Amino acid sequence: MNSAEPQGCLAALLRLFGIRLGTAAKEQLPYRFRDDFLSPAELAFYRILRSVVNESYTICVKVKQSDILFVPPVRGVIVLSQQA
């Protein structure tokens, strides 16, 4: 956190316990983007639909986070997950 940036009372309280905001190293998260978000057929359908729909409309799709992100496997780590 920049020293010129205003800090609130929570930052002052945390400093009493030796915790400084903004000093932690940025953690590298394991998430990666999927490159197969849409199949070739789905992408073709989407492009045709966009060309047919009036520009005053927006096409929105409802997707799960797991449809666009994944965590690559790590050697020696067993991952248990629930499928919805």
Side-chain angles (χ1 to χ4, degrees), residues 1-8 11-12 14-15 20-24 26:
M1 194 174 267
N2 188 350
S3 60
E5 187 174 328
Q7 296 181 357
L14 291 174
R15 273 196 309 271
R20 303 250 182 239
L21 295 179
T23 58
K26 297 210 180 221

Side-chain angles (χ1 to χ4, degrees), residues 51-63:
S51 69
V52 173
V53 172
N54 187 340
E55 287 185 11
S56 61
Y57 294 99
T58 302
I59 302 169
C60 298
V61 295
K62 185 177 179 181
V63 297

Side-chain angles (χ1 to χ4, degrees), residues 25-79:
K26 297 210 180 221
E27 181 181 343
Q28 179 77 16
L29 297 177
Y31 301 108
R32 302 292 178 263
F33 283 107
R34 291 190 178 277
D35 57 358
D36 59 349
F37 176 61
L38 294 177
S39 70
E42 291 169 329
L43 186 57
F45 176 75
Y46 175 75
R47 287 180 176 154
I48 291 171
L49 186 60
R50 266 190 34 201
S51 69
V52 173
V53 172
N54 187 340
E55 287 185 11
S56 61
Y57 294 99
T58 302
I59 302 169
C60 298
V61 295
K62 185 177 179 181
V63 297
K64 298 181 295 189
Q65 197 173 29
S66 63
D67 290 339
I68 56 175
L69 298 174
F70 74 100
V71 177
V74 178
R75 283 183 48 180
V77 176
I78 298 173
V79 178

